[in-house]
Amino acid sequence: MVPARRNNVLVVSGGEKTESQYFSGLRLARRVPITVKCKADAPHNLVKYAAKLRDQYREEFQAVWCVVDVDNFDIPLAMRLADSMKVNLAVSNPCFELWLLLHFADHRAHVADYRAARDLLARHVPAYDKKLDYAAFDPGIEDAIARAALLGPDNPATDVGRLVDAVLRTCPEPPRH
């Protein structure tokens, strides 16, 4: 049995590479208690999976979050399910790369799709292509949180700033760089 880590945050992501690399990097760089699980599935299924993990490891997680992209999914269904199952949902519209872009720029114009977001991000991280070095993003994390909070509910939008802010608040003191 794993000892209880009541401030541990479970992050379940629909993306299998980028999100995992980002949150694993955040965990190491900021020494925050995050457990990352990835599963390629529809957002409503991710919510069910996250709730199952939470219930299975009852004492371990302080909070449970699902990180999903809009894509062509039924996000309202996932939101209703998340609300009823008491799982936090961090939706990015159109995709997680918008969150990454906000580390470098205050972008508020419509972003058509992943490809457009990737191209905008490549202006700041030229080698970006679903593989990231978290160290390039860490210096802009507080700016990204503030920028994400200013976005509206439509494209572009991301709730990942709320998630990252909540995770950073679980860490008593930021590590010295």
Side-chain angles (χ1 to χ4, degrees):
M1 183 85 170
V2 176
R5 296 177 286 178
R6 297 189 197 289
N7 64 341
N8 193 14
V9 176
L10 174 63
V11 175
V12 176
S13 169
E16 296 189 73
K17 289 184 180 179
T18 309
E19 293 87 337
S20 176
Q21 292 167 4
Y22 182 88
F23 288 109
S24 295
L26 175 65
R27 179 182 62 233
L28 294 172
R30 299 288 181 115
R31 297 185 189 103
V32 290
I34 304 174
T35 299
V36 181
K37 300 286 185 185
C38 298
K39 182 177 176 138
D41 208 337
H44 68 278
N45 289 331
L46 290 176
V47 169
K48 292 176 189 176
Y49 176 66
K52 179 181 173 185
L53 289 174
R54 180 203 53 221
D55 295 346
Q56 185 177 356
Y57 300 102
R58 245 180 298 219
E59 299 298 317
E60 188 168 345
F61 302 114
Q62 169 189 327
V64 178
W65 287 81
C66 286
V67 177
V68 300
D69 293 348
V70 168
D71 291 324
N72 293 315
F73 294 117
D74 186 347
I75 298 301
L77 170 64
M79 293 172 123
R80 288 190 305 275
L81 194 58
D83 187 49
S84 71
M85 299 184 100
K86 297 187 179 6
V87 170
N88 298 291
L89 193 60
V91 179
S92 293
N93 187 357
C95 58
F96 187 77
E97 282 69 17
L98 171 66
W99 165 248
L100 298 177
L101 175 62
L102 294 175
H103 288 68
F104 304 98
D106 186 10
H107 187 88
R108 298 188 197 190
H110 180 84
V111 180
D113 53 19
Y114 161 74
R115 184 173 294 206
R118 181 198 63 203
D119 292 348
L120 289 166
L121 182 57
R123 295 177 188 172
H124 305 281
V125 184
Y128 179 80
D129 190 22
K130 287 285 185 190
K131 184 171 190 248
L132 64 86
D133 174 9
Y134 176 80
F137 296 89
D138 191 72
I141 200 164
E142 284 78 12
D143 290 335
I145 291 169
R147 291 169 178 153
L150 296 174
L151 296 175
D154 299 317
N155 182 320
T158 183
D159 298 315
V160 178
R162 290 188 312 110
L163 161 57
V164 172
D165 186 48
V167 167
L168 291 178
R169 284 188 275 121
T170 66
C171 187
E173 181 178 318
R176 309 261 188 265
H177 293 287

